[in-house]
Amino acid sequence: MHMNSAPHLLTEDRPEYERILDDALRHAHERPDLAAVGEQLNAVQLRTMALDATTSIIATAATEYDHYVRVREELRGPAGEGGGEAGPVADADGSGAGIGAVITVLAPVLAGTAAFIFLLAGYLLKLLSPPPAFASTMVTAGWFFAAVMAAAILVAAVGLLVTALRNGSVSDSAAGDETELPEDVARAREAWRHALLERGILPFLRDALDDPGAGRAARAPQPSPNRIPKVGYGRPDFSGPDEGQTAGPRPTFTSPDFTSPEFGGPEHEVE
């Protein structure tokens, strides 16, 4: 992994980057160079801008981040190899815990059902005259299953309490392991955090506050002039068939000459 050539924030380190950014914005009023937060750009707008510029911000601390990731991976190497040996034990414990959970859930239900059936049948039989001899036995069995149901519910409650306490202690120990990192990993992590804050996040916030218009313009999408749609419609052009062409001479119409068939002039007199 070479962060200098292609800076890229791993998914597991994304919350840490956001936490550093939130801390910087939360304590912005303590820094004179960030005193303008809230005047033209508020903390939410600055946070959104910084998240959009994550790649360019983490590039300022690429060397420290590369070292931190490399040291962390070297630490995880031996732990990952040793973790494979504990797999079967964990599986066995998990299967045992599953069977116990099933029994804990089913025991009160089954005991309660049996108690209801025996008590209902026993008291109904006692209403007969004379009651059967086994009616009292069924009532006794019903109360026995009722006691079993109560005991199963109590055991389930105690088991849930113990499980909750155990999970809480495991979570606390896991949190302690996360906090108590080895010295070299903790040092590399702190160096990356300091470089990211001082060389990346704080300069970005100062530049955004100094020129808020440029930051907003950079984030706002600019439409292309060639892709702006024309709104509305134009009036269609109506023109005559001869419009736009050179007008030529138009044909003229003359009425025919009508003459009498016997009129030929004085030189053609009828003999």
Side-chain angles (χ1 to χ4, degrees):
M1 178 179 180
H2 301 284
M3 301 298 298
N4 294 329
S5 58
H8 176 69
L9 188 66
L10 298 178
T11 303
E12 60 181 305
D13 297 323
R14 177 88 180 185
E16 185 66 22
Y17 167 75
E18 296 181 2
R19 189 178 303 112
I20 299 172
L21 174 61
D22 293 339
D23 290 340
L25 292 173
R26 189 179 303 111
H27 300 91
H29 61 280
E30 301 175 1
R31 295 177 176 269
D33 50 349
L34 299 180
V37 175
E39 295 179 0
Q40 295 186 7
L41 293 175
N42 55 31
V44 177
Q45 293 172 324
L46 289 171
R47 187 180 191 274
T48 303
M49 294 169 61
L51 292 179
D52 292 341
T54 298
T55 302
S56 60
I57 292 177
I58 65 172
T60 59
T63 303
E64 289 79 4
Y65 185 62
D66 187 16
H67 176 67
Y68 168 53
V69 172
R70 184 169 61 252
V71 173
R72 186 175 60 186
E73 290 178 352
E74 291 175 357
L75 175 66
R76 291 176 178 176
E81 295 175 0
E85 299 177 358
V89 178
D91 293 339
D93 293 341
S95 61
I99 295 175
V102 171
I103 294 177
T104 303
V105 172
L106 290 180
V109 176
L110 296 177
T113 303
F116 175 77
I117 293 174
F118 278 102
L119 288 175
L120 178 63
Y123 282 112
L124 288 177
L125 290 175
K126 279 192 172 185
L127 295 177
L128 300 178
S129 182
F134 58 88
S136 299
T137 304
M138 296 189 68
V139 172
T140 303
W143 283 114
F144 170 77
F145 282 111
V148 172
M149 178 187 67
I153 292 176
L154 180 61
V155 171
V158 174
L160 290 176
L161 180 60
V162 172
T163 302
L165 294 176
R166 183 184 304 166
N167 292 338
S169 62
V170 171
S171 300
D172 293 340
S173 62
D177 295 341
E178 183 68 20
T179 304
E180 298 175 359
L181 294 174
E183 184 179 357
D184 52 349
V185 179
R187 193 184 311 113
R189 180 170 176 258
E190 187 60 29
W192 169 62
R193 286 166 55 92
H194 180 76
L196 182 63
L197 178 65
E198 297 296 333
R199 298 203 305 258
I201 294 178
L202 292 179
F204 177 84
L205 296 178
R206 284 195 294 265
D207 294 342
L209 292 173
D210 292 340
D211 192 4
R216 291 173 178 172
R219 295 179 62 246
Q222 300 295 334
S224 175
N226 297 330
R227 303 182 68 178
I228 299 178
K230 182 184 293 186
V231 180
Y233 61 92
R235 178 179 61 84
D237 296 332
F238 296 98
S239 60
D242 296 334
E243 207 172 301
Q245 299 178 359
T246 303
R250 296 184 177 181
T252 58
F253 176 77
T254 57
S255 60
D257 295 333
F258 295 96
T259 57
S260 173
E262 298 179 352
F263 179 76
E267 65 275 8
H268 295 88
E269 293 183 356
V270 181
E271 295 179 358

Short mmCIF file of all heavy atoms in Angstrom, two decimals, residues 12-52:
data_model
loop_
_atom_site.label_atom_id
_atom_site.label_comp_id
_atom_site.label_asym_id
_atom_site.label_seq_id
_atom_site.Cartn_x
_atom_site.Cartn_y
_atom_site.Cartn_z
N GLU A 12 -12.04 1.40 7.68
CA GLU A 12 -11.96 1.37 9.14
C GLU A 12 -11.42 2.66 9.73
O GLU A 12 -11.60 2.93 10.92
CB GLU A 12 -11.08 0.20 9.58
CG GLU A 12 -9.66 0.28 9.06
CD GLU A 12 -8.83 -0.92 9.49
OE1 GLU A 12 -8.77 -1.16 10.72
OE2 GLU A 12 -8.26 -1.59 8.63
N ASP A 13 -10.73 3.47 8.91
CA ASP A 13 -10.19 4.74 9.40
C ASP A 13 -11.08 5.92 9.06
O ASP A 13 -10.77 7.06 9.46
CB ASP A 13 -8.79 4.97 8.80
CG ASP A 13 -7.81 3.91 9.26
OD1 ASP A 13 -7.90 3.49 10.43
OD2 ASP A 13 -6.95 3.50 8.44
N ARG A 14 -12.14 5.69 8.34
CA ARG A 14 -13.06 6.79 8.01
C ARG A 14 -13.69 7.41 9.26
O ARG A 14 -13.76 8.64 9.36
CB ARG A 14 -14.15 6.26 7.07
CG ARG A 14 -15.21 7.28 6.69
CD ARG A 14 -14.80 8.06 5.49
NE ARG A 14 -15.80 9.04 5.11
CZ ARG A 14 -15.74 9.80 4.04
NH1 ARG A 14 -14.70 9.69 3.23
NH2 ARG A 14 -16.68 10.66 3.76
N PRO A 15 -14.18 6.62 10.24
CA PRO A 15 -14.72 7.25 11.45
C PRO A 15 -13.69 8.09 12.19
O PRO A 15 -14.05 9.12 12.78
CB PRO A 15 -15.18 6.05 12.28
CG PRO A 15 -15.44 4.97 11.30
CD PRO A 15 -14.41 5.16 10.24
N GLU A 16 -12.42 7.67 12.18
CA GLU A 16 -11.39 8.46 12.86
C GLU A 16 -11.18 9.80 12.17
O GLU A 16 -11.01 10.84 12.84
CB GLU A 16 -10.07 7.67 12.88
CG GLU A 16 -8.96 8.33 13.65
CD GLU A 16 -9.25 8.41 15.15
OE1 GLU A 16 -10.10 7.61 15.64
OE2 GLU A 16 -8.65 9.26 15.82
N TYR A 17 -11.22 9.80 10.84
CA TYR A 17 -11.11 11.06 10.11
C TYR A 17 -12.28 11.98 10.43
O TYR A 17 -12.09 13.19 10.68
CB TYR A 17 -11.05 10.76 8.61
CG TYR A 17 -11.24 11.97 7.72
CD1 TYR A 17 -10.23 12.90 7.57
CD2 TYR A 17 -12.44 12.17 7.05
CE1 TYR A 17 -10.41 14.02 6.77
CE2 TYR A 17 -12.63 13.28 6.25
CZ TYR A 17 -11.61 14.19 6.11
OH TYR A 17 -11.80 15.29 5.31
N GLU A 18 -13.48 11.45 10.46
CA GLU A 18 -14.65 12.27 10.79
C GLU A 18 -14.60 12.75 12.24
O GLU A 18 -15.04 13.87 12.53
CB GLU A 18 -15.93 11.46 10.53
CG GLU A 18 -16.13 11.09 9.07
CD GLU A 18 -17.41 10.31 8.85
OE1 GLU A 18 -18.16 10.11 9.83
OE2 GLU A 18 -17.68 9.92 7.69
N ARG A 19 -14.04 11.93 13.14
CA ARG A 19 -13.93 12.35 14.53
C ARG A 19 -12.96 13.52 14.68
O ARG A 19 -13.22 14.48 15.43
CB ARG A 19 -13.48 11.17 15.39
CG ARG A 19 -13.54 11.42 16.89
CD ARG A 19 -13.12 10.19 17.67
NE ARG A 19 -13.92 9.03 17.33
CZ ARG A 19 -13.46 7.96 16.70
NH1 ARG A 19 -12.20 7.90 16.32
NH2 ARG A 19 -14.25 6.95 16.43
N ILE A 20 -11.84 13.47 13.97
CA ILE A 20 -10.88 14.58 14.02
C ILE A 20 -11.50 15.85 13.44
O ILE A 20 -11.34 16.95 13.98
CB ILE A 20 -9.60 14.20 13.25
CG1 ILE A 20 -8.94 12.97 13.88
CG2 ILE A 20 -8.62 15.36 13.22
CD1 ILE A 20 -7.78 12.42 13.08
N LEU A 21 -12.24 15.69 12.35
CA LEU A 21 -12.90 16.84 11.75
C LEU A 21 -13.95 17.43 12.70
O LEU A 21 -14.04 18.66 12.86
CB LEU A 21 -13.56 16.41 10.43
CG LEU A 21 -14.43 17.45 9.72
CD1 LEU A 21 -13.61 18.67 9.34
CD2 LEU A 21 -15.07 16.83 8.48
N ASP A 22 -14.73 16.58 13.34
CA ASP A 22 -15.75 17.08 14.27
C ASP A 22 -15.12 17.78 15.47
O ASP A 22 -15.64 18.80 15.95
CB ASP A 22 -16.63 15.92 14.74
CG ASP A 22 -17.48 15.34 13.61
OD1 ASP A 22 -17.69 16.06 12.61
OD2 ASP A 22 -17.91 14.18 13.72
N ASP A 23 -14.00 17.25 15.96
CA ASP A 23 -13.32 17.90 17.08
C ASP A 23 -12.79 19.27 16.67
O ASP A 23 -12.87 20.24 17.45
CB ASP A 23 -12.16 17.03 17.58
CG ASP A 23 -12.65 15.78 18.29
OD1 ASP A 23 -13.82 15.76 18.71
OD2 ASP A 23 -11.87 14.80 18.41
N ALA A 24 -12.27 19.37 15.46
CA ALA A 24 -11.77 20.66 15.00
C ALA A 24 -12.90 21.68 14.88
O ALA A 24 -12.74 22.85 15.24
CB ALA A 24 -11.05 20.49 13.66
N LEU A 25 -14.04 21.26 14.38
CA LEU A 25 -15.17 22.18 14.26
C LEU A 25 -15.77 22.50 15.63
O LEU A 25 -16.25 23.62 15.84
CB LEU A 25 -16.24 21.55 13.35
CG LEU A 25 -15.84 21.41 11.88
CD1 LEU A 25 -16.91 20.63 11.11
CD2 LEU A 25 -15.64 22.78 11.24
N ARG A 26 -15.75 21.54 16.54
CA ARG A 26 -16.33 21.77 17.86
C ARG A 26 -15.52 22.80 18.65
O ARG A 26 -16.07 23.58 19.42
CB ARG A 26 -16.41 20.45 18.63
CG ARG A 26 -17.18 20.55 19.93
CD ARG A 26 -17.25 19.21 20.63
NE ARG A 26 -17.84 18.19 19.78
CZ ARG A 26 -17.18 17.16 19.26
NH1 ARG A 26 -15.89 17.02 19.51
NH2 ARG A 26 -17.78 16.27 18.50
N HIS A 27 -14.19 22.79 18.46
CA HIS A 27 -13.32 23.73 19.17
C HIS A 27 -12.83 24.85 18.26
O HIS A 27 -11.78 25.44 18.51
CB HIS A 27 -12.12 22.98 19.75
CG HIS A 27 -12.50 21.89 20.73
ND1 HIS A 27 -12.72 20.59 20.33
CD2 HIS A 27 -12.72 21.92 22.07
CE1 HIS A 27 -13.03 19.85 21.39
NE2 HIS A 27 -13.06 20.63 22.45
N ALA A 28 -13.61 25.14 17.22
CA ALA A 28 -13.19 26.20 16.30
C ALA A 28 -13.16 27.56 16.97
O ALA A 28 -12.35 28.42 16.63
CB ALA A 28 -14.12 26.22 15.09
N HIS A 29 -14.06 27.78 17.95
CA HIS A 29 -14.11 29.08 18.61
C HIS A 29 -12.87 29.35 19.44
O HIS A 29 -12.62 30.50 19.84
CB HIS A 29 -15.34 29.16 19.52
CG HIS A 29 -15.35 28.13 20.61
ND1 HIS A 29 -15.72 26.81 20.40
CD2 HIS A 29 -15.00 28.21 21.93
CE1 HIS A 29 -15.62 26.14 21.53
NE2 HIS A 29 -15.18 26.95 22.48
N GLU A 30 -12.08 28.30 19.73
CA GLU A 30 -10.86 28.48 20.50
C GLU A 30 -9.68 28.89 19.62
O GLU A 30 -8.60 29.20 20.15
CB GLU A 30 -10.52 27.19 21.24
CG GLU A 30 -11.63 26.73 22.20
CD GLU A 30 -11.32 25.39 22.84
OE1 GLU A 30 -10.23 24.84 22.55
OE2 GLU A 30 -12.15 24.90 23.63
N ARG A 31 -9.84 28.89 18.33
CA ARG A 31 -8.76 29.24 17.40
C ARG A 31 -9.10 30.57 16.72
O ARG A 31 -10.17 30.69 16.12
CB ARG A 31 -8.58 28.16 16.33
CG ARG A 31 -8.12 26.82 16.89
CD ARG A 31 -8.04 25.78 15.78
NE ARG A 31 -7.51 24.52 16.25
CZ ARG A 31 -6.22 24.19 16.24
NH1 ARG A 31 -5.33 25.05 15.74
NH2 ARG A 31 -5.82 23.03 16.68
N PRO A 32 -8.21 31.55 16.79
CA PRO A 32 -8.51 32.84 16.15
C PRO A 32 -8.67 32.73 14.64
O PRO A 32 -9.45 33.48 14.04
CB PRO A 32 -7.29 33.69 16.53
CG PRO A 32 -6.70 33.03 17.74
CD PRO A 32 -6.96 31.57 17.56
N ASP A 33 -7.95 31.79 13.99
CA ASP A 33 -8.05 31.68 12.54
C ASP A 33 -9.35 31.05 12.09
O ASP A 33 -9.70 31.09 10.91
CB ASP A 33 -6.87 30.87 11.99
CG ASP A 33 -6.69 29.55 12.72
OD1 ASP A 33 -7.33 29.36 13.77
OD2 ASP A 33 -5.91 28.70 12.25
N LEU A 34 -10.11 30.43 13.02
CA LEU A 34 -11.40 29.83 12.69
C LEU A 34 -12.55 30.55 13.39
O LEU A 34 -13.64 30.00 13.54
CB LEU A 34 -11.42 28.34 13.08
CG LEU A 34 -10.40 27.43 12.40
CD1 LEU A 34 -10.55 26.01 12.90
CD2 LEU A 34 -10.54 27.49 10.88
N ALA A 35 -12.30 31.79 13.80
CA ALA A 35 -13.33 32.53 14.52
C ALA A 35 -14.51 32.90 13.63
O ALA A 35 -15.58 33.23 14.13
CB ALA A 35 -12.73 33.80 15.12
N ALA A 36 -14.34 32.84 12.31
CA ALA A 36 -15.42 33.22 11.40
C ALA A 36 -16.42 32.11 11.15
O ALA A 36 -17.33 32.28 10.33
CB ALA A 36 -14.82 33.67 10.06
N VAL A 37 -16.27 30.98 11.84
CA VAL A 37 -17.24 29.90 11.67
C VAL A 37 -18.60 30.36 12.16
O VAL A 37 -18.74 30.83 13.29
CB VAL A 37 -16.78 28.65 12.44
CG1 VAL A 37 -17.85 27.56 12.37
CG2 VAL A 37 -15.47 28.12 11.87
N GLY A 38 -19.61 30.22 11.31
CA GLY A 38 -20.95 30.63 11.65
C GLY A 38 -21.37 31.95 11.06
O GLY A 38 -22.56 32.28 11.10
N GLU A 39 -20.43 32.71 10.51
CA GLU A 39 -20.79 34.00 9.92
C GLU A 39 -21.33 33.80 8.49
O GLU A 39 -22.47 34.12 8.19
CB GLU A 39 -19.58 34.93 9.92
CG GLU A 39 -19.11 35.31 11.33
CD GLU A 39 -17.90 36.21 11.31
OE1 GLU A 39 -17.44 36.54 10.18
OE2 GLU A 39 -17.40 36.59 12.38
N GLN A 40 -20.50 33.26 7.62
CA GLN A 40 -20.96 32.97 6.25
C GLN A 40 -21.12 31.48 6.02
O GLN A 40 -21.96 31.06 5.24
CB GLN A 40 -19.96 33.55 5.24
CG GLN A 40 -19.88 35.06 5.29
CD GLN A 40 -19.00 35.60 4.17
OE1 GLN A 40 -18.56 34.86 3.30
NE2 GLN A 40 -18.74 36.90 4.20
N LEU A 41 -20.29 30.68 6.68
CA LEU A 41 -20.39 29.22 6.60
C LEU A 41 -20.49 28.68 8.01
O LEU A 41 -19.66 29.00 8.86
CB LEU A 41 -19.17 28.63 5.88
CG LEU A 41 -18.99 28.97 4.39
CD1 LEU A 41 -17.68 28.40 3.88
CD2 LEU A 41 -20.15 28.42 3.58
N ASN A 42 -21.50 27.84 8.26
CA ASN A 42 -21.62 27.24 9.59
C ASN A 42 -20.86 25.92 9.64
O ASN A 42 -20.27 25.47 8.65
CB ASN A 42 -23.09 27.04 9.96
CG ASN A 42 -23.84 26.22 8.92
OD1 ASN A 42 -23.27 25.35 8.27
ND2 ASN A 42 -25.12 26.49 8.76
N ALA A 43 -20.89 25.29 10.81
CA ALA A 43 -20.12 24.06 11.00
C ALA A 43 -20.62 22.92 10.12
O ALA A 43 -19.83 22.11 9.63
CB ALA A 43 -20.18 23.65 12.48
N VAL A 44 -21.92 22.85 9.90
CA VAL A 44 -22.48 21.78 9.06
C VAL A 44 -22.01 21.92 7.62
O VAL A 44 -21.62 20.94 6.96
CB VAL A 44 -24.01 21.78 9.15
CG1 VAL A 44 -24.60 20.73 8.22
CG2 VAL A 44 -24.48 21.55 10.57
N GLN A 45 -22.01 23.15 7.11
CA GLN A 45 -21.55 23.38 5.73
C GLN A 45 -20.07 23.07 5.60
O GLN A 45 -19.63 22.45 4.62
CB GLN A 45 -21.85 24.82 5.33
CG GLN A 45 -23.33 25.14 5.20
CD GLN A 45 -23.59 26.61 5.00
OE1 GLN A 45 -22.89 27.46 5.56
NE2 GLN A 45 -24.60 26.94 4.20
N LEU A 46 -19.28 23.48 6.58
CA LEU A 46 -17.84 23.20 6.53
C LEU A 46 -17.57 21.71 6.62
O LEU A 46 -16.67 21.19 5.93
CB LEU A 46 -17.14 23.93 7.67
CG LEU A 46 -17.05 25.45 7.55
CD1 LEU A 46 -16.52 26.06 8.83
CD2 LEU A 46 -16.16 25.86 6.37
N ARG A 47 -18.34 21.01 7.43
CA ARG A 47 -18.15 19.56 7.54
C ARG A 47 -18.47 18.87 6.22
O ARG A 47 -17.76 17.96 5.78
CB ARG A 47 -19.04 19.01 8.66
CG ARG A 47 -18.80 17.55 8.97
CD ARG A 47 -19.72 17.09 10.10
NE ARG A 47 -19.34 15.77 10.57
CZ ARG A 47 -19.75 14.62 10.03
NH1 ARG A 47 -20.57 14.66 8.98
NH2 ARG A 47 -19.36 13.46 10.51
N THR A 48 -19.54 19.29 5.58
CA THR A 48 -19.91 18.69 4.30
C THR A 48 -18.84 18.95 3.24
O THR A 48 -18.48 18.06 2.46
CB THR A 48 -21.26 19.27 3.83
OG1 THR A 48 -22.25 19.03 4.83
CG2 THR A 48 -21.70 18.61 2.53
N MET A 49 -18.32 20.17 3.22
CA MET A 49 -17.26 20.49 2.27
C MET A 49 -16.00 19.68 2.54
O MET A 49 -15.34 19.19 1.61
CB MET A 49 -16.96 21.99 2.34
CG MET A 49 -18.10 22.88 1.88
SD MET A 49 -17.82 24.63 2.26
CE MET A 49 -16.32 24.94 1.34
N ALA A 50 -15.66 19.50 3.82
CA ALA A 50 -14.46 18.73 4.15
C ALA A 50 -14.64 17.25 3.81
O ALA A 50 -13.68 16.59 3.38
CB ALA A 50 -14.15 18.89 5.64
N LEU A 51 -15.83 16.71 3.99
CA LEU A 51 -16.07 15.32 3.62
C LEU A 51 -16.00 15.13 2.11
O LEU A 51 -15.54 14.09 1.62
CB LEU A 51 -17.42 14.86 4.16
CG LEU A 51 -17.54 14.74 5.68
CD1 LEU A 51 -18.95 14.31 6.07
CD2 LEU A 51 -16.52 13.77 6.23
N ASP A 52 -16.47 16.13 1.36
CA ASP A 52 -16.37 16.05 -0.09
C ASP A 52 -14.91 16.11 -0.55
O ASP A 52 -14.57 15.56 -1.62
CB ASP A 52 -17.16 17.18 -0.74
CG ASP A 52 -18.66 17.02 -0.54
OD1 ASP A 52 -19.09 15.88 -0.24
OD2 ASP A 52 -19.40 18.00 -0.66
#
